[in-house]
Amino acid sequence: MGKLFGTDGVRGLAGERLSATLAMRLAMAAGIYFRKDSITNNILVGKDTRKSGYMIETAIVAGLTAVGFNVRQIGPMPTPAVAFLTEDMRCDAGIMISASHNPFYDNGIKFFNANGDKLSEAAEDAIEAIYANDELIASAQATNMQIGAAKRIDDVIGRYIVHIKNCFPRHLTLKGLRIVLDTANGAAYKAAPTIFSELGAELIVLGDEPNGQNINENCGALHPNNLALQVKHLRADIGFGFDGDADRLVVVDEKGEVVHGDALIGVLATHLKRQKLLKNDEIVATVMSNAALDEYLKAHKIKLSRSAVGDKNVLEMMKERGLNFGGEQSGHIVFSDFAKTGDGLVSALQVSACLLESGKKASELFGEIKPFPQILVNLPIGKKPPLSEIAGLEKLEGELKKLGIRSLFRYSGTENLLRLLLEGKDETAVKTQMKRVQDFFSSALK
């Protein structure tokens, strides 16, 4: 058996790698794992709008009830809603069926513990070990009245909507703001319009007609071009695009320009500091974040700590350092005072509050940060030796640093690719050095 869990749960082509058989057995393994700390004997299951969600949900329900758990099915809901509701409804665990920003034909399974937190790698490894243990799987199956039951609950969306609205300052209203939302035909297609309209916004909604296969298709956070056109055409104040499971946000200013993710993080950090809500005057971003963010935050006396790539790593560092704000330039932004994980709806409301209280147009507000030129290249390679063992690499990195160029090299976890990042104030120098870097690694890793 190959490794099941990737960087964010189990993911793959639905019906092939992620089959009904795999989903059922994985649910049984997860149920056995969660049994040791079970209090309520209930596990929450949500999903996004992919057609394969019906198949995978049914398989998961079969697996969980087979090992004695009761299942609470809540239908299409954002990933952060599942995290919140798992704790709010006092379930022993939560499961989200989604492949996030992937096309409709992929799907995935994410797990949350009773506190609504994503599982640690150690917990994922334990579930994988159970999955591979035929004897344990067979012996754990319930019989008679110990077999679990499933119940579909259709009204929990109201709890999540109230929770999200409570993160928006009570002295503010969205009345007078014209906002375009693109819900990517995904999990936020009901919750997002309800929240923004109830808070008073003049609303135009795109991508809110899911049909099982149009999730993320030329819409939402992954494809913000149509959102940008509509914001400009309709003279809106701002536009918000979400991905398929709504844990990610892309912002478009009134000019129809997509706001850089690091500009979003920087402006929100300074906004929190002005409100005296930024713990320890420090935030977490990843190693991918632009150096312009460092300069901007330093000017505002905010410390930036960098984690490895992935919102899970951002969250872990935030917890370690006792912080309440962090994010990735891709749009996963974490306000831990309001959400257990990145929540696109929370982020959009915080951006709205920041815009209202600044009295500026969105282009002026986010134009305060000008990202340095940055080049990313995925280089095909033949082997993956430890980077520390590649002769001449340390010298190359030192020379790049002397030229004022930041470098980051890392292997893809799933493909034979080396991800190369160079960044500096001089775009010509960055382009020239990238050619040099590619030649170096092509020779070293052929």
Side-chain angles (χ1 to χ4, degrees):
M1 182 193 71
K3 184 167 175 58
L4 287 175
F5 285 89
T7 54
D8 196 15
V10 178
R11 191 175 295 184
L13 179 62
E16 192 172 284
R17 181 178 189 270
L18 188 51
S19 64
T21 303
L22 184 149
M24 183 173 71
R25 188 176 177 105
L26 181 62
M28 293 172 74
I32 295 167
Y33 173 80
F34 289 121
R35 172 64 63 202
K36 60 185 173 58
D37 297 317
S38 175
I39 296 174
T40 64
N41 200 45
N42 294 325
I43 291 181
L44 189 79
V45 177
K47 60 182 180 179
D48 65 21
T49 58
R50 294 162 212 268
K51 186 177 181 181
S52 60
Y54 294 101
M55 172 188 74
I56 295 169
E57 179 184 29
T58 302
I60 287 174
V61 170
L64 291 174
T65 54
V67 295
F69 267 103
N70 297 321
V71 183
R72 301 292 177 255
Q73 298 166 260
I74 60 172
M77 290 285 278
T79 289
V82 172
F84 163 72
L85 291 166
T86 295
E87 182 181 40
D88 191 63
M89 295 174 66
R90 306 210 177 171
C91 293
D92 292 326
I95 298 175
M96 177 65 181
I97 304 165
S98 174
S100 188
H101 57 271
N102 285 29
F104 85 95
Y105 45 76
D106 287 334
N107 217 326
I109 303 172
K110 306 178 188 181
F111 295 93
F112 299 91
N113 64 22
N115 296 320
D117 296 321
K118 289 185 177 180
L119 301 189
S120 65
E121 285 189 23
E124 291 175 344
D125 289 344
I127 292 173
E128 281 205 27
I130 297 169
Y131 179 97
N133 190 327
D134 291 338
E135 186 177 337
L136 184 54
I137 291 285
S139 65
Q141 295 189 40
T143 58
N144 299 320
M145 289 303 293
Q146 280 69 52
I147 295 173
K151 180 180 181 182
R152 188 168 293 279
I153 307 175
D154 296 320
D155 60 354
V156 294
I157 190 171
R159 294 195 195 198
Y160 177 63
I161 287 170
V162 169
H163 166 68
I164 296 299
K165 285 170 63 180
N166 283 338
C167 84
F168 187 71
R170 288 191 172 273
H171 66 279
L172 295 178
T173 175
L174 295 179
K175 189 175 182 180
L177 274 188
R178 180 177 291 179
I179 298 174
V180 182
L181 295 182
D182 187 340
T183 63
N185 295 310
Y189 81 100
K190 287 183 180 179
T194 301
I195 290 166
F196 279 86
S197 61
E198 287 186 2
L199 288 171
E202 180 186 346
L203 205 59
I204 301 96
V205 185
L206 313 173
D208 62 337
E209 297 181 357
N211 62 14
Q213 69 177 34
N214 60 0
I215 186 171
N216 297 317
E217 186 179 38
N218 298 318
C219 58
L222 266 73
H223 305 282
N225 291 344
N226 188 43
L227 173 61
L229 286 172
Q230 292 301 318
V231 168
K232 193 172 181 180
H233 174 68
L234 297 168
R235 298 181 181 179
D237 297 294
I238 199 164
F240 297 123
F242 308 103
D243 66 343
D245 67 339
D247 64 353
R248 177 176 168 186
L249 172 71
V250 164
V251 177
V252 173
D253 69 26
E254 83 287 355
K255 294 181 178 179
E257 298 293 328
V258 176
V259 175
H260 193 282
D262 286 323
L264 191 61
I265 291 170
V267 169
L268 288 171
T270 54
H271 171 70
L272 288 174
K273 184 177 180 181
R274 281 194 298 272
Q275 306 295 314
K276 297 184 174 16
L277 296 174
L278 186 66
K279 288 185 180 177
N280 302 335
D281 288 343
E282 181 180 351
I283 74 165
V284 176
T286 74
V287 290
M288 298 294 290
S289 278
N290 199 281
L293 177 61
D294 294 74
E295 287 198 358
Y296 178 82
L297 293 174
K298 190 174 181 180
H300 288 83
K301 297 181 179 178
I302 297 173
K303 182 180 178 182
L304 173 63
S305 294
R306 290 179 181 266
S307 74
V309 175
D311 62 326
K312 182 187 290 189
N313 295 314
V314 172
L315 269 166
E316 285 179 4
M317 185 171 283
M318 286 171 60
K319 289 176 182 177
E320 287 170 6
R321 303 183 71 85
L323 308 179
N324 65 342
F325 180 72
E328 297 186 282
Q329 62 177 196
S330 61
H332 291 110
I333 300 174
V334 183
F335 292 86
S336 64
D337 290 340
F338 307 121
K340 294 286 183 178
T341 184
D343 190 320
L345 301 184
V346 168
S347 300
L349 287 183
Q350 294 305 307
V351 170
S352 300
C354 182
L355 186 66
L356 289 166
E357 293 185 327
S358 74
K360 298 178 180 178
K361 292 183 180 295
S363 59
E364 297 172 324
L365 182 64
F366 296 108
E368 294 175 4
I369 302 178
K370 304 292 185 186
F372 299 159
Q374 188 181 81
I375 299 178
L376 286 164
V377 172
N378 288 321
L379 183 70
I381 53 175
K383 55 185 178 180
K384 292 183 178 180
L387 292 175
S388 60
E389 295 179 4
I390 297 177
L393 179 55
E394 187 176 348
K395 179 183 177 184
L396 174 62
E397 290 175 321
E399 291 172 352
L400 291 170
K401 188 173 182 180
K402 286 180 182 177
L403 292 170
I405 296 175
R406 186 172 78 91
S407 61
L408 177 66
F409 311 131
R410 62 189 183 92
Y411 292 119
S412 164
T414 56
E415 302 172 273
N416 283 332
L417 296 173
L418 178 64
R419 305 198 192 283
L420 310 173
L421 181 150
L422 293 184
E423 173 188 289
K425 294 183 179 181
D426 185 335
E427 187 171 6
T428 301
V430 172
K431 288 180 179 178
T432 300
Q433 293 304 314
M434 179 56 84
K435 176 64 168 61
R436 177 189 176 194
V437 167
Q438 285 181 264
D439 290 343
F440 171 84
F441 280 112
S442 294
S443 175
L445 301 176
K446 63 184 177 182

